[in-house]
Amino acid sequence: TTAAIGKGFAIGSAALVSLALFGAFVTRIRHSSGDTVFQNGVNMLEPITFAFLIIGGMIPFAFAAMTMKSVGLAAMEMVMEVQRQFDE
C-alpha cells in the first residue's frame, strides 16, 4: 500500500542520512587530528568500537523509557489527586 511504501522510503532515507552523518564525523575527526585518529578508517570488528556502537544504539531507548516512566508516574499522581478531591 501507499503507507508501506512511504514508511519504507522513510526508513531508507534515515539509514542513508545516518551513514552520511557518520562519514562526515569520521572525516571531520581525521581532519581535526591531522590524520592521526581513524588513520586506517573505522574497523567495526574492533571490540571497543563494536561495544560503543551497541551502547550508542541503546541510549535513545533508555531515554525514551525514562521519559515514558516519568509521564506514567505524573499521570498516576494526577489520578490520585482527582480521586482525593472526589472523596472530599
Side-chain angles (χ1 to χ4, degrees):
T1 64
T2 306
I5 293 170
K7 288 178 186 177
F9 181 74
I11 290 169
S13 174
L16 184 62
V17 167
S18 67
L19 181 64
L21 284 173
F22 185 70
F25 168 74
V26 169
T27 302
R28 179 72 177 182
I29 292 295
R30 284 183 64 191
H31 178 71
S32 297
S33 69
D35 285 337
T36 58
V37 180
F38 298 134
Q39 185 175 5
N40 298 325
V42 178
N43 185 2
M44 297 300 221
L45 297 177
E46 290 182 21
I48 192 75
T49 305
F50 188 73
F52 281 109
L53 181 67
I54 297 296
I55 291 169
M58 289 187 309
I59 288 174
F61 293 105
F63 279 106
M66 288 188 285
T67 302
M68 287 186 274
K69 187 174 182 177
S70 66
V71 168
L73 292 173
M76 184 52 78
E77 286 182 17
M78 287 192 335
V79 167
M80 297 305 282
E81 178 62 21
V82 169
Q83 185 178 15
R84 184 192 66 79
Q85 289 178 12
F86 273 123
D87 289 342
E88 288 181 352

